Amino acid sequence: MLKKLLATPNDSTLTVARLILAVIFFAHGSQKMFGFFGGRGVSGTVAIFQQTMGIPAPLTILAMTAEVFGAVGLFLGLLTRIAALGVLVVMPVAAFANHLYPNFFMNRTGRQMGEGFEYHLLAIALIVSVLVRGAGALSVDRAISAAPDSPAMSVPAHQKSV
């Protein structure tokens, strides 16, 4: 089971996708959780999510946690599929919560009302690629799963089939 979870090809394109996702999700999560990059921090984020979208505090904290720790897992390539699943769950909520993003295109020029969800779709596509294929090259998952006779990968004698 663990071997299947960690298995990944030696693919540098997956590494690029994983690292880009890690940087983006860490930036967004750290705005919410730590107040970095002009963010509000935990209390400000919880308040604004409750007021504008009606999202309860525990779910807001869960989203922040998924973004920050998911980003760390993605960056390291450690339990990458679990990290990708965590950030994947955040994306549909981010795109469609309370109809905040009623348009397809992002509002780069400020000429339309609201924002678009094209960014969210791109992120979902990258996340699904990593979720399905794994962390790729230069990842802890690959190092563990490719190691011969790794203790984490060995099957106890009583579980081996005859």
Side-chain angles (χ1 to χ4, degrees):
M1 176 74 164
L2 183 60
K3 186 168 182 105
K4 190 171 183 172
L5 179 69
L6 300 179
T8 185
N10 190 22
D11 185 342
S12 60
T13 57
L14 288 170
T15 303
V16 170
R18 176 175 53 81
L19 292 175
I20 289 171
L21 285 167
V23 168
I24 290 170
F25 276 97
F26 185 79
H28 282 274
S30 63
Q31 282 181 310
K32 295 175 186 87
M33 188 175 279
F34 308 120
F36 294 168
F37 310 112
R40 299 174 186 268
V42 173
S43 60
T45 301
V46 167
I48 199 76
F49 274 40
Q50 284 179 328
Q51 293 166 5
T52 61
M53 296 177 278
I55 297 176
L59 292 180
T60 301
I61 291 170
L62 190 59
M64 286 187 264
T65 303
E67 286 181 347
V68 171
F69 290 104
V72 171
L74 287 169
F75 185 80
L76 297 173
L78 176 62
L79 299 173
T80 304
R81 288 184 170 96
I82 293 170
L85 184 60
V87 296
L88 178 64
V89 170
V90 172
M91 292 313 295
V93 176
F96 299 109
N98 205 19
H99 305 290
L100 285 179
Y101 303 109
N103 303 306
F104 177 75
F105 295 105
M106 293 177 70
N107 191 8
R108 290 181 187 91
T109 61
R111 290 185 280 166
Q112 70 186 25
M113 294 297 295
E115 274 293 343
F117 53 86
E118 65 179 314
Y119 155 78
H120 301 89
L121 293 177
L122 284 171
I124 289 169
L126 278 177
I127 295 165
V128 168
S129 298
V130 171
L131 182 64
V132 170
R133 301 272 295 145
L138 302 174
S139 65
V140 174
D141 288 355
R142 178 146 179 81
I144 293 171
S145 66
D149 301 317
S150 169
M153 298 299 130
S154 63
V155 178
H158 71 278
Q159 290 183 352
K160 290 184 181 180
S161 58
V162 182

